[in-house]
Amino acid sequence: MKRLLRRSKRNNVNPSFDKSMEAHHALSKRMNNFQSVLSSRWQALSGRDQLALLILSTFLLLFVGGYGGYSIHQAANDSKSDYQEEVADYFWLRAQAGNIDSNAMQTSTSDGELPPANSVSTVLNSAGITNAQVVAAGDAVQLSFTHGSQAVVSTALGKLEQQGWQFTQLSMQQDPINKSIQVQATVAL
């Protein structure tokens, strides 16, 4: 290495190389100084202090690594549960595809009332439930939604009953992680 440095100094072919080498040597020199100071301070510690410092450093390393692993694991579990919920909704909707009456949402009854699916959707929206999936299935209406408040869910279902809707099928499940309530139901007048 010294031989190459002497040659480059003699030839002076690439001055930027000389500057980068000088910077490298300066950095190397600083690192060596820091390492020697650290080593001398380490040697100046008593055996008990060295052991305590090693144990503390190991503990901190394990704690930081463990917490990082735990937080990654928790995020993966949350993502997995969200994915499974979306897949369950997808397959439920797909299973209901044969029951969908495409004309039910477009036509209204003769006396100016809303179609059944629109009526149920309006009741749910007024109760505070947005993003509900409401599908007309013959004379019945199938609905699916998820909400975080049990009070809002029970209020919405109560409003449906007050308007004369009868539940022919009702499934409610609470997510153990985020405590939201998933409701799937079929109602008929």
Side-chain angles (χ1 to χ4, degrees), residues 2 36 77-78 114 119 128 132 145:
K2 290 180 181 180
S36 65
N77 279 345
D78 292 345
L114 290 175
S119 174
F145 62 87

Side-chain angles (χ1 to χ4, degrees), residues 5 7-23:
L5 284 175
R7 279 187 183 173
S8 68
K9 284 182 182 179
R10 258 188 282 152
N11 295 337
N12 203 7
V13 175
N14 191 355
S16 64
F17 178 74
D18 288 340
K19 290 180 184 177
S20 68
M21 288 304 291
E22 288 174 13

Side-chain angles (χ1 to χ4, degrees), residues 163-183:
Q163 297 221 347
W165 292 98
Q166 296 178 352
F167 289 91
T168 57
Q169 180 182 4
L170 177 62
S171 169
M172 294 174 60
Q173 296 177 348
Q174 186 173 22
D175 187 340
I177 296 172
N178 62 8
K179 305 296 183 202
S180 64
I181 300 170
Q182 182 180 16
V183 177

